[in-house]
Amino acid sequence: MAIFKNPLTNLRTTIIVLGILLLSSITHFYRINQLHTFHNDEGRDAMIAGAMIETKSITLLGPQTSVGNMYLGPIYYYFMVPGLILSGGDPVGPAILIAISGVLTSLGLYFYGRTKFSEKAGIIAALVMSLSPIFVHYTKSSWNPNLIPFIALLMLFAYDKKWSVILGILGGILFQLHYVAMLFFLTLTILHIYQTRSVKSIALLIVGFFVSSLPFWLFEIRHDWVNMQAFFNFILSSRGGDQNGPSYIARIINNGHKIVTDLVLSKTLTNNIAPSSLTWLTVALVGLTGLTLPKKSVARDTFRFLLLIIIVSVIGTSLLRDAIHPHYVGYLFPVVSLIIGAAYASSSRLVKAYARFFFVIWAIHSVPVTYANMTAGDSFQKLKGREVAGYIMRDAGSSDYNVVAAHDNSRETTYLFYLHKLDNPPVNDEARLLYIICEDRPCIESDVNSPGIFNRGPAHPSLASYLAHPYSPDSRTPKTLVSSTHIVYGVWVARVIVGE
């Protein structure tokens, strides 16, 4: 690629590249071991990737979606495995890989923006990606949607170069990270087909897509297309949300507004503060940029292309009646960054001056939040898991035991991840010794005597052998609460004797 030809021969480029790498590395890697998220979903994912390492066998099924009773493809679990191996089994390993993807996204935005708009535009796009509270937040912890911004940027490069098979391969990966992200792939695919109008290009794109998503389709073939059936049932079902909720037009307006407040202004990380003045400043920036980019230029065409992606995303996500969260549209992170940077390619000096003013205001609003998040107190999620596992191991000794979480609490996957690393992990068969994990409150008698205490299935079908308790929809076996001990940071563990 021309943009990558000997960049180090140019001192200016070298300084810019090193500056971006340094800044983005600071915001992504600073205290990552203390701050990265490791709860429910992350604990489940780490258990699955760890099980693949332990059993030396792969899973064909990825994470479960939050709606529709569907599962994604397993590509993210494959991505996690080397991170866990290199970190010696510490969950920070996959988080570091995600952080690396975030840094590379910032760097890639500089090159893409420089080629399509101007050098200053590329720099601003990289700065936005490196400093935005919401963008940094979602690219420094291990979670399947968090890889999407990097994949989306690679897809922009592949689309630009008309690399059909690469675009298809990346689309197959995106398909396994979040279904909503397929709006991005479909947009690029339709435009790519329109531009190439080549049967060969279409064939290569399709082949690339199915090659990279092959594990998912193998699972579907072996299990009567269960996920595809669930997907189409969800799309066609009128139960996708509240029928008395906002109209489709109202959802379009609301989601368009959320693109600005949530992605540009990081509202969900600023105590829901997104001043309307900043919203209008953003809208004005986009409008002025679109009107003043040089006519019949690459910059103007690229800006319209990026704006089309956002419009399609808003229209497409508005078909869903459920609330749209930032991670649903992670593919827009690099797009939004480029849209902001594009103003620096305007042919109007006034618009360029306005763009500088906007960036300063945006930085004043955003950078303190990013800094506060970097210097916040430890999450203690891994510490909780280790301490609880250590307590249970010492208390149980060599005895068989089961583990469950109280029903008003989260799943126990974070704790099971560490328990299954021990010499005496919990068993699936009913044992006389039971430990109940309670978060934010002591365990009480109602936790112990609940008939549904064992009615939780595994967090993922591949974790059936790691359930840590018998599966029973209605358990009437007598149980005696022996103690409820506070272990660490608001986590209690109840010791229960079963059968007495």
Side-chain angles (χ1 to χ4, degrees), residues 165-206:
V165 69
I166 301 299
L167 184 61
I169 289 171
L170 293 169
I173 294 172
L174 195 71
F175 170 68
Q176 299 177 75
L177 296 175
H178 205 288
Y179 286 138
V180 174
M182 290 304 288
L183 285 169
F184 179 69
F185 177 57
L186 289 175
T187 304
L188 296 190
T189 296
I190 292 171
L191 293 174
H192 177 75
I193 291 173
Y194 177 77
Q195 289 180 350
T196 60
R197 301 181 189 181
S198 165
V199 174
K200 179 180 177 182
S201 294
I202 297 173
L204 287 174
L205 189 148
I206 293 173

Side-chain angles (χ1 to χ4, degrees), residues 265-498:
L265 305 180
S266 303
K267 180 180 178 179
T268 57
L269 294 180
T270 57
N271 295 321
N272 286 322
I273 297 173
S276 58
S277 57
L278 283 179
T279 301
W280 285 112
L281 286 175
T282 304
V283 173
L285 179 75
V286 175
L288 290 171
T289 301
L291 291 173
T292 59
L293 285 171
K295 295 181 179 179
K296 297 182 180 180
S297 65
V298 172
R300 194 179 188 89
D301 291 342
T302 303
F303 183 82
R304 289 176 173 177
F305 162 64
L306 296 173
L307 204 57
L308 176 63
I309 291 173
I310 293 178
I311 291 171
V312 171
S313 178
V314 171
I315 293 173
T317 54
S318 298
L319 293 171
L320 301 174
R321 294 182 179 274
D322 300 275
I324 302 302
H325 303 286
H327 68 272
Y328 284 19
V329 290
Y331 55 89
L332 290 183
F333 292 5
V335 174
V336 167
S337 300
L338 289 165
I339 287 284
I340 293 173
Y344 286 76
S346 170
S347 59
S348 167
R349 290 184 178 180
L350 287 177
V351 173
K352 287 181 179 178
Y354 177 76
R356 290 191 289 271
F357 166 75
F358 174 85
F359 182 75
V360 170
I361 298 299
W362 175 86
I364 291 172
H365 172 77
S366 303
V367 172
V369 180
T370 299
Y371 176 77
N373 291 339
M374 291 168 58
T375 56
D378 294 4
S379 69
F380 298 119
Q381 290 168 343
K382 291 194 298 183
L383 176 63
K384 290 177 182 179
R386 288 195 298 266
E387 290 295 320
V388 167
Y391 167 80
I392 292 175
M393 178 190 69
R394 292 188 298 272
D395 189 79
S398 59
S399 303
D400 287 347
Y401 63 94
N402 299 134
V403 175
V404 297
H407 271 256
D408 65 340
N409 287 178
S410 303
R411 274 193 175 272
E412 59 270 25
T413 50
T414 304
Y415 310 100
L416 292 182
F417 173 77
Y418 289 102
L419 282 167
H420 280 285
K421 289 178 173 290
L422 305 178
D423 294 334
N424 183 28
V427 298
N428 284 7
D429 296 328
E430 188 172 61
R432 282 181 52 78
L433 186 57
L434 168 67
Y435 294 96
I436 303 176
I437 299 170
C438 303
E439 295 179 344
D440 302 323
R441 62 168 180 80
C443 302
I444 56 179
E445 286 288 346
S446 60
D447 297 317
V448 176
N449 296 312
S450 169
I453 193 168
F454 292 140
N455 72 353
R456 275 183 177 165
H460 188 270
S462 67
L463 294 177
S465 60
Y466 296 83
L467 185 56
H469 60 78
Y471 176 73
S472 174
D474 187 17
S475 175
R476 300 289 178 174
T477 306
K479 302 174 185 67
T480 302
L481 175 63
V482 177
S483 62
S484 178
T485 305
H486 180 255
I487 307 302
V488 62
Y489 295 113
V491 181
W492 278 260
V493 174
R495 189 178 198 272
V496 177
I497 302 299
V498 179

